[in-house]
Amino acid sequence: MNLKRIKAVAGKEWLEIVRDKVFFSLAFVVPVVMMILLGYGLSLDVENIPFTIVDHDKTPLSRDYAYRFIGSRYFSFLGYSKDDRSVDDLLASNTARAAIIIPPDFEKNLISGRPASVQTLIDGTFPFRAQTTKGYVIAINSAASMDFMADYISKKKGISKERAEKLLRPVSLETRYLYNQSLKSVWSIAPKLIMLILMVSPPFLTALGVVREKETGSIYNIYVSTVSRAEFLIGKLFPYMAISAVNSLILFLFATELFGAPFKGSLLLFFASTIIYVICTTGIGLLASVFVQTQTSAMIVTSIITLVPAVLYSGILIPVSSLEKSAQIVAHLLPAMYYTNIVIACFMKGVGIEHFWKDILILSLYAFSLLFLGYLFFRKRTKA
Amino acid sequence: MTTADSISVFRIWIRRLHVMTVKEFLQLFRDLVLLVFIIYAFTADIYLAGSGVSLQVKEAPVYFMDNDKSQASREFLGRFLPPYFRVKGEVISPIEGTALLDKGDAMIVVDIPSSFQKSIFSGEPARIQVQIDTTNSGLGFLASSYAQQIAGKYGLEMAMERIGLVDSGHINAPMIIDDHRVWFNPNQDDRWFMSLSELLTIVTLFSVLLPGAAMVREKERGTVEQLLVSPLSSFQIMFPKVLSMTTVILIGSAISILFIIKGVFHVPLKGSLVLFFSITTLYVFTTAGLGLFISTIAKNLAQVGMMTVLIFVPMLFLSGAWTPPEAMPAWMRTVMYISPLHYYIDTGFGILLKGAGVRILWREILGMAALGSVIFGLGMWRFRKQFG
């Protein structure tokens, strides 16, 4: 191993990157743009659910009831629909995601102390949204029930409404949200976006860089040079890792400053783990690039092996513990999950290294094996 | 020009198109790794995404701290049942509960006060404390909403019985009976959503990347010079690339719809498949136009790669394939109207799951067609300007 030669390869690679001004700026612009767009847009908050109401009763009480939905910030009212058929169309055309159908005799039943059944139709194409919408509907309905019943009981028994409400609600649940007190989606998403973006961008840069030499044939210069395999790979990968390391710092600042995500852990540990993770993802790019011959397939292969798993199996949207068995196995085989654990530990939980040293260890092993495999499979000399 | 002449001109035109299309196919099929990955993407990848990933609270681990140890507290805790919850065990101190939450072993810790049963019977509200891990805000919200439902229902049942509003199972109170129905996916089977969503993603990825890359490769290797001195028009150069890739993508989606989505996941394909594939074709053309447009800006494949990520990733995440689009800020929802994927998701889910037809989806189809012609036109114009 000769440091001078490594430096030469790295220098050559660096020049090649910097001289392609468009590529060089994209290497920094892409992560930042992703961070901003996804930070604002990638949200599991279910709000502004477009919905419609069919009021078969048309009484003051039914309008009062409808207003409980219309006034809620979770729903966005599209206007009353005249019949059930137009509701079908609104749901099928994705205009409305929910519809509330108030039955005839709604007021009559409630005033005379009988229950009234209200039908809610929910668009189930996106199960998570449907579940959450259902939660809102149940909450609004039970609050309405509580009101109606408290009124009824206070009149019937001659007690105050407050007393009646107390009687009706013998159990109250005090919920404490841990790690993300305000249930702000962006606080939990923004730090994990660092994981996602560093999973996508370094392998792309690396794979394109390595395969470019193969495809344009400039790799023949390397074949005939005195540079060894290891020297070439280290020199080649170093500039890409450096760019990604800078990017991770920028992304960290975006997460904490722009999106205000709280950081509770140790900065040093976080950045050390981040560097290991970047080496890992760069290694994925390297491994992808040794198996493909063209930049087109390099792009396809890296995007499929990084992007999709980084979303599905990393815990960014879905915690690994709630995945099915098969998917849990996949998740444990990929590095993204371990880094997500570290991100959560450092950002939201602020727990010490004793909680995530295993994750760091596994990531390091990963980084080492990926680079080693890349080294094994990388042929300086193509087979004749 | 006589008719015979124009027929022969047309024949030559078609022949050139044909020759170029064959060339594109050959080039594609000779890249073995790429081919393998195309097959993987349309089959195994969609299977994996559909089979294991679900965005629901499923058997969330519950730990409890029962300071009352009464019949009432046991009955209350007994309501934390699958499918949403699974009671894992008891903790003795709050510290132990916090430790389990920190480690991620518990999602919920329920703390029942010592006077629970007494206060319920005396009519004084009993306060139960619940700690919920909300590192994932969406699931945290769902879990808390389920816990609230359990507490609300339990309390109401106790109260109604005591006040005497229930008479042998018959409710004598002015309450709202919540009768909700979930349409189009009654059991909220995530596999339906995930597998379709993944298919739309894969289609998008290939249609942005393949034609654009095929174009830039010609630029990078200099073969575009050969094409330019040939008697081919710019349309004849660009169109075959889109045509060949579209064919591959359509065959891929047909395979995954028939064998994976319908075959393995039993998604009921309600609408017309002909309509779905026509719209997929329209979509692939539109998105391919985007790829070609990128290729006229980019000088080499590395730039194409980065620009594709720049366009593809936001398009993918913000169109509603992964998260509900209604949750986005208003300005972002407006921006999404220029994303073809936004229309494709609406029409794709509309046709396949909802059984919607042209009568209902014409707006989306029109929007996509308009977008497609603009993007494709821009790509052609840039290409002509560059090489014309």
Side-chain angles (χ1 to χ4, degrees), chain A residues 69-115:
Chain A
F69 288 90
I70 298 169
S72 156
R73 76 183 171 98
Y74 298 118
F75 291 94
S76 135
F77 187 46
L78 296 170
Y80 282 100
S81 291
K82 57 179 193 306
D83 53 15
D84 297 14
R85 222 190 95 78
S86 45
V87 167
D88 291 2
D89 277 6
L90 284 175
L91 284 172
S93 65
N94 308 306
T95 318
R97 300 288 179 196
I100 290 146
I101 298 169
I102 303 174
D105 296 338
F106 177 81
E107 190 182 60
K108 213 176 105 195
N109 278 332
L110 289 174
I111 286 180
S112 56
R114 279 193 305 268

Short mmCIF file of all heavy atoms in Angstrom, two decimals, chain A residues 69-115:
data_model
loop_
_atom_site.label_atom_id
_atom_site.label_comp_id
_atom_site.label_asym_id
_atom_site.label_seq_id
_atom_site.Cartn_x
_atom_site.Cartn_y
_atom_site.Cartn_z
N PHE A 69 -67.92 17.84 12.66
CA PHE A 69 -66.94 17.38 11.67
C PHE A 69 -66.42 18.56 10.86
O PHE A 69 -65.22 18.68 10.60
CB PHE A 69 -67.58 16.36 10.72
CG PHE A 69 -67.82 15.03 11.38
CD1 PHE A 69 -69.01 14.76 12.02
CD2 PHE A 69 -66.84 14.06 11.36
CE1 PHE A 69 -69.23 13.54 12.63
CE2 PHE A 69 -67.05 12.83 11.96
CZ PHE A 69 -68.25 12.57 12.61
N ILE A 70 -67.37 19.45 10.46
CA ILE A 70 -66.98 20.56 9.60
C ILE A 70 -65.96 21.45 10.32
O ILE A 70 -65.00 21.93 9.72
CB ILE A 70 -68.22 21.38 9.20
CG1 ILE A 70 -69.18 20.50 8.40
CG2 ILE A 70 -67.84 22.60 8.39
CD1 ILE A 70 -70.54 21.08 8.16
N GLY A 71 -66.14 21.61 11.61
CA GLY A 71 -65.25 22.50 12.36
C GLY A 71 -63.95 21.84 12.78
O GLY A 71 -63.05 22.51 13.27
N SER A 72 -63.80 20.54 12.57
CA SER A 72 -62.60 19.85 13.02
C SER A 72 -61.45 20.11 12.06
O SER A 72 -61.63 20.13 10.84
CB SER A 72 -62.87 18.34 13.09
OG SER A 72 -61.66 17.65 12.98
N ARG A 73 -60.24 20.30 12.64
CA ARG A 73 -59.11 20.57 11.75
C ARG A 73 -58.65 19.32 11.01
O ARG A 73 -57.85 19.40 10.08
CB ARG A 73 -57.96 21.19 12.52
CG ARG A 73 -57.19 20.23 13.37
CD ARG A 73 -56.11 20.94 14.16
NE ARG A 73 -55.52 20.07 15.14
CZ ARG A 73 -54.37 19.42 14.94
NH1 ARG A 73 -53.72 19.57 13.83
NH2 ARG A 73 -53.88 18.64 15.89
N TYR A 74 -59.14 18.19 11.44
CA TYR A 74 -58.73 16.97 10.75
C TYR A 74 -59.50 16.75 9.46
O TYR A 74 -59.10 15.98 8.62
CB TYR A 74 -58.93 15.76 11.66
CG TYR A 74 -58.10 15.83 12.91
CD1 TYR A 74 -58.68 15.88 14.16
CD2 TYR A 74 -56.72 15.86 12.81
CE1 TYR A 74 -57.91 15.97 15.31
CE2 TYR A 74 -55.94 15.95 13.94
CZ TYR A 74 -56.54 16.00 15.19
OH TYR A 74 -55.76 16.07 16.31
N PHE A 75 -60.62 17.41 9.35
CA PHE A 75 -61.45 17.21 8.16
C PHE A 75 -61.55 18.49 7.35
O PHE A 75 -61.45 19.59 7.89
CB PHE A 75 -62.86 16.77 8.58
CG PHE A 75 -62.89 15.39 9.15
CD1 PHE A 75 -62.82 15.19 10.51
CD2 PHE A 75 -62.98 14.28 8.32
CE1 PHE A 75 -62.84 13.91 11.05
CE2 PHE A 75 -63.00 13.00 8.84
CZ PHE A 75 -62.93 12.81 10.21
N SER A 76 -61.71 18.32 6.06
CA SER A 76 -61.92 19.49 5.22
C SER A 76 -63.22 19.25 4.44
O SER A 76 -63.35 18.29 3.68
CB SER A 76 -60.69 19.68 4.34
OG SER A 76 -61.03 19.95 3.03
N PHE A 77 -64.18 20.13 4.68
CA PHE A 77 -65.55 19.90 4.23
C PHE A 77 -65.71 20.29 2.76
O PHE A 77 -65.34 21.38 2.35
CB PHE A 77 -66.49 20.74 5.10
CG PHE A 77 -67.95 20.47 4.84
CD1 PHE A 77 -68.43 19.18 4.75
CD2 PHE A 77 -68.84 21.52 4.70
CE1 PHE A 77 -69.77 18.93 4.54
CE2 PHE A 77 -70.20 21.28 4.50
CZ PHE A 77 -70.66 19.98 4.41
N LEU A 78 -66.25 19.36 1.97
CA LEU A 78 -66.44 19.62 0.54
C LEU A 78 -67.83 20.17 0.25
O LEU A 78 -68.11 20.56 -0.88
CB LEU A 78 -66.27 18.32 -0.26
CG LEU A 78 -64.91 17.65 -0.25
CD1 LEU A 78 -65.01 16.27 -0.87
CD2 LEU A 78 -63.89 18.48 -0.99
N GLY A 79 -68.70 20.15 1.23
CA GLY A 79 -70.08 20.58 0.99
C GLY A 79 -71.02 19.40 1.14
O GLY A 79 -70.60 18.24 1.11
N TYR A 80 -72.29 19.72 1.34
CA TYR A 80 -73.29 18.65 1.49
C TYR A 80 -73.53 17.96 0.16
O TYR A 80 -73.46 18.58 -0.90
CB TYR A 80 -74.62 19.24 1.98
CG TYR A 80 -74.63 19.55 3.46
CD1 TYR A 80 -74.44 20.86 3.91
CD2 TYR A 80 -74.83 18.55 4.39
CE1 TYR A 80 -74.44 21.15 5.26
CE2 TYR A 80 -74.84 18.84 5.75
CZ TYR A 80 -74.64 20.14 6.18
OH TYR A 80 -74.65 20.41 7.51
N SER A 81 -73.77 16.65 0.19
CA SER A 81 -74.16 15.93 -1.02
C SER A 81 -75.64 15.63 -0.91
O SER A 81 -76.17 15.48 0.20
CB SER A 81 -73.41 14.61 -1.13
OG SER A 81 -72.06 14.85 -1.39
N LYS A 82 -76.32 15.53 -2.09
CA LYS A 82 -77.77 15.41 -1.97
C LYS A 82 -78.22 13.97 -1.76
O LYS A 82 -79.19 13.73 -1.04
CB LYS A 82 -78.47 16.06 -3.18
CG LYS A 82 -78.06 15.51 -4.53
CD LYS A 82 -78.86 16.22 -5.61
CE LYS A 82 -78.76 15.53 -6.95
NZ LYS A 82 -77.37 15.31 -7.42
N ASP A 83 -77.50 12.99 -2.31
CA ASP A 83 -77.95 11.62 -2.07
C ASP A 83 -76.76 10.65 -1.99
O ASP A 83 -75.62 11.04 -2.22
CB ASP A 83 -78.93 11.16 -3.15
CG ASP A 83 -78.34 11.36 -4.53
OD1 ASP A 83 -77.12 11.56 -4.63
OD2 ASP A 83 -79.10 11.32 -5.52
N ASP A 84 -77.05 9.42 -1.65
CA ASP A 84 -76.00 8.43 -1.47
C ASP A 84 -75.25 8.13 -2.77
O ASP A 84 -74.08 7.77 -2.75
CB ASP A 84 -76.59 7.11 -0.92
CG ASP A 84 -77.21 7.33 0.45
OD1 ASP A 84 -77.41 8.50 0.83
OD2 ASP A 84 -77.51 6.34 1.14
N ARG A 85 -75.93 8.30 -3.90
CA ARG A 85 -75.29 7.98 -5.17
C ARG A 85 -74.16 8.94 -5.50
O ARG A 85 -73.09 8.54 -5.97
CB ARG A 85 -76.33 8.01 -6.31
CG ARG A 85 -76.19 6.88 -7.29
CD ARG A 85 -77.07 7.10 -8.51
NE ARG A 85 -76.31 7.73 -9.59
CZ ARG A 85 -75.46 7.08 -10.37
NH1 ARG A 85 -75.28 5.79 -10.19
NH2 ARG A 85 -74.81 7.69 -11.32
N SER A 86 -74.38 10.21 -5.23
CA SER A 86 -73.31 11.17 -5.53
C SER A 86 -72.12 10.95 -4.59
O SER A 86 -70.99 11.26 -4.94
CB SER A 86 -73.83 12.61 -5.45
OG SER A 86 -74.61 12.78 -4.30
N VAL A 87 -72.39 10.37 -3.42
CA VAL A 87 -71.30 10.03 -2.50
C VAL A 87 -70.42 8.96 -3.13
O VAL A 87 -69.19 9.04 -3.09
CB VAL A 87 -71.88 9.54 -1.16
CG1 VAL A 87 -70.80 8.90 -0.32
CG2 VAL A 87 -72.50 10.70 -0.41
N ASP A 88 -71.05 7.97 -3.73
CA ASP A 88 -70.29 6.90 -4.40
C ASP A 88 -69.28 7.48 -5.39
O ASP A 88 -68.12 7.10 -5.43
CB ASP A 88 -71.24 5.96 -5.18
CG ASP A 88 -72.11 5.16 -4.24
OD1 ASP A 88 -71.99 5.36 -3.02
OD2 ASP A 88 -72.89 4.33 -4.73
N ASP A 89 -69.77 8.44 -6.21
CA ASP A 89 -68.90 9.03 -7.22
C ASP A 89 -67.77 9.82 -6.59
O ASP A 89 -66.62 9.75 -7.04
CB ASP A 89 -69.72 9.96 -8.14
CG ASP A 89 -70.42 9.16 -9.23
OD1 ASP A 89 -70.35 7.91 -9.17
OD2 ASP A 89 -71.04 9.78 -10.11
N LEU A 90 -68.10 10.56 -5.55
CA LEU A 90 -67.07 11.38 -4.90
C LEU A 90 -65.97 10.50 -4.31
O LEU A 90 -64.79 10.84 -4.37
CB LEU A 90 -67.68 12.24 -3.80
CG LEU A 90 -68.46 13.47 -4.25
CD1 LEU A 90 -69.10 14.16 -3.06
CD2 LEU A 90 -67.55 14.44 -4.99
N LEU A 91 -66.35 9.36 -3.77
CA LEU A 91 -65.35 8.45 -3.20
C LEU A 91 -64.56 7.76 -4.29
O LEU A 91 -63.34 7.61 -4.19
CB LEU A 91 -66.02 7.41 -2.30
CG LEU A 91 -66.46 7.89 -0.92
CD1 LEU A 91 -67.28 6.81 -0.23
CD2 LEU A 91 -65.26 8.26 -0.06
N ALA A 92 -65.24 7.36 -5.36
CA ALA A 92 -64.55 6.63 -6.42
C ALA A 92 -63.58 7.53 -7.17
O ALA A 92 -62.57 7.08 -7.67
CB ALA A 92 -65.56 6.03 -7.39
N SER A 93 -63.87 8.83 -7.24
CA SER A 93 -63.00 9.72 -8.00
C SER A 93 -61.93 10.35 -7.12
O SER A 93 -61.25 11.28 -7.55
CB SER A 93 -63.83 10.82 -8.66
OG SER A 93 -64.40 11.64 -7.66
N ASN A 94 -61.76 9.86 -5.90
CA ASN A 94 -60.75 10.36 -4.97
C ASN A 94 -61.00 11.79 -4.53
O ASN A 94 -60.10 12.43 -4.01
CB ASN A 94 -59.33 10.29 -5.57
CG ASN A 94 -59.02 8.92 -6.09
OD1 ASN A 94 -59.13 7.94 -5.38
ND2 ASN A 94 -58.66 8.85 -7.35
N THR A 95 -62.17 12.34 -4.82
CA THR A 95 -62.45 13.71 -4.39
C THR A 95 -62.68 13.72 -2.89
O THR A 95 -62.18 14.57 -2.17
CB THR A 95 -63.70 14.25 -5.11
OG1 THR A 95 -63.63 13.85 -6.47
CG2 THR A 95 -63.77 15.75 -5.02
N ALA A 96 -63.45 12.76 -2.41
CA ALA A 96 -63.71 12.66 -0.98
C ALA A 96 -63.06 11.39 -0.45
O ALA A 96 -62.97 10.39 -1.16
CB ALA A 96 -65.20 12.63 -0.72
N ARG A 97 -62.57 11.45 0.78
CA ARG A 97 -62.00 10.26 1.40
C ARG A 97 -62.94 9.69 2.46
O ARG A 97 -62.70 8.63 3.00
CB ARG A 97 -60.67 10.59 2.06
CG ARG A 97 -59.63 11.12 1.12
CD ARG A 97 -59.09 10.05 0.21
NE ARG A 97 -58.09 10.60 -0.71
CZ ARG A 97 -57.69 9.98 -1.80
NH1 ARG A 97 -58.20 8.81 -2.13
NH2 ARG A 97 -56.79 10.52 -2.58
N ALA A 98 -63.97 10.43 2.80
CA ALA A 98 -64.92 9.95 3.78
C ALA A 98 -66.26 10.60 3.53
O ALA A 98 -66.33 11.67 2.91
CB ALA A 98 -64.45 10.27 5.20
N ALA A 99 -67.31 9.95 3.97
CA ALA A 99 -68.65 10.52 3.82
C ALA A 99 -69.45 10.15 5.06
O ALA A 99 -69.35 9.04 5.57
CB ALA A 99 -69.32 9.99 2.57
N ILE A 100 -70.23 11.11 5.54
CA ILE A 100 -71.05 10.87 6.72
C ILE A 100 -72.51 10.96 6.32
O ILE A 100 -72.92 11.93 5.66
CB ILE A 100 -70.71 11.89 7.82
CG1 ILE A 100 -69.32 11.57 8.35
CG2 ILE A 100 -71.71 11.85 8.96
CD1 ILE A 100 -68.55 12.74 8.75
N ILE A 101 -73.24 9.93 6.66
CA ILE A 101 -74.64 9.88 6.25
C ILE A 101 -75.52 9.93 7.49
O ILE A 101 -75.55 9.00 8.29
CB ILE A 101 -74.91 8.64 5.39
CG1 ILE A 101 -74.05 8.72 4.13
CG2 ILE A 101 -76.38 8.56 5.02
CD1 ILE A 101 -74.00 7.47 3.33
N ILE A 102 -76.20 11.06 7.67
CA ILE A 102 -77.06 11.23 8.83
C ILE A 102 -78.46 10.71 8.48
O ILE A 102 -79.04 11.13 7.48
CB ILE A 102 -77.12 12.71 9.23
CG1 ILE A 102 -75.69 13.24 9.50
CG2 ILE A 102 -78.00 12.91 10.45
CD1 ILE A 102 -75.61 14.71 9.77
N PRO A 103 -78.96 9.77 9.26
CA PRO A 103 -80.22 9.13 8.90
C PRO A 103 -81.43 10.05 9.15
O PRO A 103 -81.33 11.00 9.92
CB PRO A 103 -80.28 7.93 9.84
CG PRO A 103 -79.52 8.38 11.04
CD PRO A 103 -78.45 9.29 10.55
N PRO A 104 -82.56 9.76 8.51
CA PRO A 104 -83.78 10.47 8.85
C PRO A 104 -84.15 10.16 10.31
O PRO A 104 -83.71 9.14 10.85
CB PRO A 104 -84.82 9.91 7.87
CG PRO A 104 -84.22 8.71 7.26
CD PRO A 104 -82.75 8.77 7.45
N ASP A 105 -84.92 11.02 10.91
CA ASP A 105 -85.33 10.84 12.31
C ASP A 105 -84.18 10.92 13.29
O ASP A 105 -84.29 10.47 14.43
CB ASP A 105 -86.04 9.47 12.53
CG ASP A 105 -87.33 9.41 11.75
OD1 ASP A 105 -87.87 10.50 11.43
OD2 ASP A 105 -87.78 8.30 11.43
N PHE A 106 -83.06 11.49 12.85
CA PHE A 106 -81.90 11.63 13.74
C PHE A 106 -82.28 12.43 14.98
O PHE A 106 -82.10 12.00 16.12
CB PHE A 106 -80.78 12.33 12.94
CG PHE A 106 -79.52 12.63 13.72
CD1 PHE A 106 -78.57 11.65 13.93
CD2 PHE A 106 -79.29 13.90 14.22
CE1 PHE A 106 -77.41 11.92 14.62
CE2 PHE A 106 -78.13 14.19 14.92
CZ PHE A 106 -77.19 13.19 15.11
N GLU A 107 -82.89 13.61 14.74
CA GLU A 107 -83.24 14.49 15.85
C GLU A 107 -84.33 13.85 16.72
O GLU A 107 -84.26 13.84 17.95
CB GLU A 107 -83.71 15.84 15.32
CG GLU A 107 -83.87 16.89 16.40
CD GLU A 107 -84.38 18.20 15.83
OE1 GLU A 107 -85.48 18.22 15.26
OE2 GLU A 107 -83.67 19.21 15.97
N LYS A 108 -85.32 13.30 16.03
CA LYS A 108 -86.47 12.72 16.74
C LYS A 108 -86.00 11.64 17.72
O LYS A 108 -86.38 11.64 18.90
CB LYS A 108 -87.46 12.13 15.73
CG LYS A 108 -88.91 12.22 16.15
CD LYS A 108 -89.81 11.71 15.03
CE LYS A 108 -90.35 10.33 15.37
NZ LYS A 108 -90.94 9.67 14.18
N ASN A 109 -85.14 10.75 17.22
CA ASN A 109 -84.64 9.67 18.07
C ASN A 109 -83.88 10.18 19.27
O ASN A 109 -84.12 9.75 20.40
CB ASN A 109 -83.72 8.75 17.25
CG ASN A 109 -84.49 7.76 16.43
OD1 ASN A 109 -85.60 7.38 16.80
ND2 ASN A 109 -83.94 7.36 15.30
N LEU A 110 -82.97 11.11 19.02
CA LEU A 110 -82.11 11.56 20.11
C LEU A 110 -82.92 12.31 21.17
O LEU A 110 -82.71 12.12 22.36
CB LEU A 110 -80.99 12.43 19.56
CG LEU A 110 -79.92 11.69 18.76
CD1 LEU A 110 -78.94 12.67 18.13
CD2 LEU A 110 -79.17 10.70 19.64
N ILE A 111 -83.85 13.14 20.72
CA ILE A 111 -84.61 13.92 21.69
C ILE A 111 -85.49 13.02 22.55
O ILE A 111 -85.67 13.25 23.74
CB ILE A 111 -85.45 15.01 20.96
CG1 ILE A 111 -84.48 16.12 20.52
CG2 ILE A 111 -86.53 15.59 21.86
CD1 ILE A 111 -85.13 17.26 19.81
N SER A 112 -85.97 11.94 21.93
CA SER A 112 -86.80 11.06 22.74
C SER A 112 -85.98 9.98 23.45
O SER A 112 -86.52 8.99 23.93
CB SER A 112 -87.88 10.41 21.86
OG SER A 112 -87.27 9.76 20.79
N GLY A 113 -84.65 10.19 23.50
CA GLY A 113 -83.82 9.31 24.30
C GLY A 113 -83.50 7.97 23.67
O GLY A 113 -83.21 7.00 24.37
N ARG A 114 -83.55 7.92 22.35
CA ARG A 114 -83.18 6.68 21.68
C ARG A 114 -81.89 6.89 20.90
O ARG A 114 -81.58 8.00 20.48
CB ARG A 114 -84.31 6.27 20.72
CG ARG A 114 -85.47 5.57 21.40
CD ARG A 114 -86.40 4.92 20.37
NE ARG A 114 -86.86 5.87 19.37
CZ ARG A 114 -88.01 6.57 19.50
NH1 ARG A 114 -88.78 6.43 20.56
NH2 ARG A 114 -88.38 7.40 18.56
N PRO A 115 -81.12 5.82 20.70
CA PRO A 115 -79.88 5.98 19.93
C PRO A 115 -80.15 6.25 18.45
O PRO A 115 -81.20 5.86 17.94
CB PRO A 115 -79.18 4.64 20.12
CG PRO A 115 -80.23 3.69 20.52
CD PRO A 115 -81.29 4.46 21.23
#
